[in-house]
Amino acid sequence: MKSSNMKKCLFAVISMTAFASLFAREILVVSSDISIYDEGDESVNLGSRVWGWSAANDASIPSSAKKNFVTYCEAKPAAGGKEILVAASEGGWAIVDREKKKAVSWGVCGKEAFSIERIADDVVAVSGRDDKSTSGCVFIINTKKGGKTSRFVFDKPRGLYWEDGKSFLWVLDAGALTGCKFARASDGTFALNRAKIISLVDRDTGLGCDLRPVPKYTNTVLSASMKGVVRFIDLKKMTWCRNSTTIPVDQVTSYDANVEGKAFFVRPKKDGSCGDVLEKRLWGRKFVPFKKLKGVSIRRARWVQ
């Protein structure tokens, strides 16, 4: 891709800073539980914790299933922030009503869950692993009671992004971003057919960790990997901006941006144990950093918007 195209891609993101925020300034943090904080002082720290949830304190999840909700890997706001999608390392997934602080739907898929995405009101996708294969897989789950689950084998799927309007589920796999056409069969099962592939191996991305849309720029997503590559990907042109590795991060397990151009990174500890540093940055040529924020085993940080 020509550098001029990259400039246009970046300009679309940087220009977000000109917009006045119309959204609540809240941050969803995934650690030992699921928490929402006020943004707080932009240059110092997070504000007050305004909401929290864990399966251990949710009576709607039976005791026998709580063992599948111990280490949280992912949480995403849904339905305008009224619901929270949750995935846990032990295979549990849930849709949590924010006001009631209760799971309106939950289940267990496989032995490990990495990410979750909503496809329809009654359908979610979960990436993870199960006992049937050493490879990873994506589960497509009917969240209604008695609904069916379909399983699709991938290599090491992590991030998921649903491209609404085109019925495409994008799967960040090892070395590739795969666009899968979603369909629902008359018998209640699901189809997920690989239709588009964007190769990521030529820039040594390593294992992909996160996949997020870029606000106000509908054709673009951002991928991140443990090797420090944070990349802009144009889904319409089926290519990635070749200078996007200039974002100055050495390692990242989570990435998210909002409409004002503020971004959150989650970094792992230097000794390779669970991530514990939440860093907030501001978009711009110098990517001026805010004060680093430390927590306990932070896996994800998301804007609630």
Side-chain angles (χ1 to χ4, degrees):
M1 179 179 284
K2 295 181 179 179
S3 60
S4 60
N5 290 335
M6 178 59 192
K7 290 178 181 178
K8 292 178 182 178
C9 182
L10 286 177
F11 177 76
V13 180
I14 295 169
S15 63
M16 296 173 197
T17 58
F19 290 91
S21 177
L22 299 177
F23 300 97
R25 296 176 180 272
E26 295 180 326
I27 299 103
L28 177 65
V29 177
V30 182
S31 56
S32 57
D33 61 6
I34 311 298
S35 301
I36 295 178
Y37 294 85
D38 286 327
E39 182 181 12
D41 189 322
E42 296 185 7
S43 63
V44 181
N45 51 35
L46 286 173
S48 303
R49 183 174 183 267
V50 298
W51 185 88
W53 178 88
S54 70
N57 299 322
D58 188 344
S60 63
I61 296 179
S63 299
S64 59
K66 293 186 187 296
K67 64 180 183 296
N68 299 105
F69 294 88
V70 178
T71 310
Y72 300 102
C73 279
E74 172 74 286
K76 292 177 180 176
K82 295 179 181 179
E83 294 179 340
I84 306 296
L85 308 180
V86 176
S89 287
E90 296 78 18
W93 63 268
I95 301 174
V96 180
D97 184 291
R98 180 175 173 181
E99 182 179 358
K100 297 179 180 178
K101 293 186 179 181
K102 290 186 177 182
V104 295
S105 185
W106 68 273
V108 178
C109 55
K111 61 182 180 181
E112 192 171 11
F114 301 127
S115 186
I116 184 170
E117 182 79 318
R118 170 168 278 166
I119 291 179
D121 289 342
D122 60 340
V123 181
V124 296
V126 177
S127 64
R129 292 191 303 141
D130 64 8
D131 296 317
K132 297 180 180 179
S133 172
T134 57
S135 300
C137 55
V138 172
F139 301 92
I140 306 297
I141 303 164
N142 188 324
T143 61
K144 292 183 178 179
K145 187 175 181 179
K148 294 184 178 181
T149 295
S150 298
R151 171 184 170 275
F152 303 90
V153 175
F154 284 80
D155 186 3
K156 296 178 180 178
R158 293 296 190 271
L160 298 174
Y161 169 65
W162 174 247
E163 188 177 9
D164 199 14
K166 295 187 178 180
S167 297
F168 264 78
L169 179 69
W170 290 91
V171 181
L172 182 62
D173 205 357
L177 179 61
T178 304
C180 303
K181 186 70 174 179
F182 168 80
R184 192 193 303 243
S186 58
D187 63 354
T189 60
F190 303 104
L192 200 62
N193 300 311
R194 293 168 173 80
K196 299 180 179 180
I197 298 178
I198 301 174
S199 176
L200 303 175
V201 296
D202 51 348
R203 289 299 292 270
D204 193 24
T205 61
L207 180 61
C209 290
D210 208 359
L211 183 67
R212 298 295 291 155
V214 181
K216 296 293 183 180
Y217 198 58
T218 55
N219 293 325
T220 303
V221 293
L222 288 149
S223 71
S225 81
M226 285 294 291
K227 289 195 174 181
V229 179
V230 178
R231 177 172 295 146
F232 294 85
I233 302 174
D234 190 319
L235 299 180
K236 185 176 181 179
K237 295 180 179 180
M238 288 291 294
T239 188
W240 46 271
C241 302
R242 294 184 180 274
N243 293 328
S244 51
T245 54
T246 57
I247 297 176
V249 292
D250 51 6
Q251 290 183 319
V252 58
T253 57
S254 176
Y255 177 95
D256 204 20
N258 76 352
V259 293
E260 290 184 312
K262 296 173 185 175
F264 279 101
F265 297 88
V266 176
R267 297 171 183 257
K269 290 180 180 179
K270 295 296 184 182
D271 61 7
S273 58
C274 293
D276 77 336
V277 179
L278 173 61
E279 182 177 348
K280 183 164 63 173
R281 293 176 179 264
L282 181 65
W283 283 108
R285 292 181 180 179
K286 294 183 179 180
F287 298 93
V288 180
F290 290 99
K291 181 181 176 66
K292 294 180 181 180
L293 308 170
K294 292 186 177 181
V296 179
S297 300
I298 299 174
R299 300 298 184 92
R300 292 284 190 264
R302 307 297 192 201
W303 289 99
V304 181
Q305 54 186 39

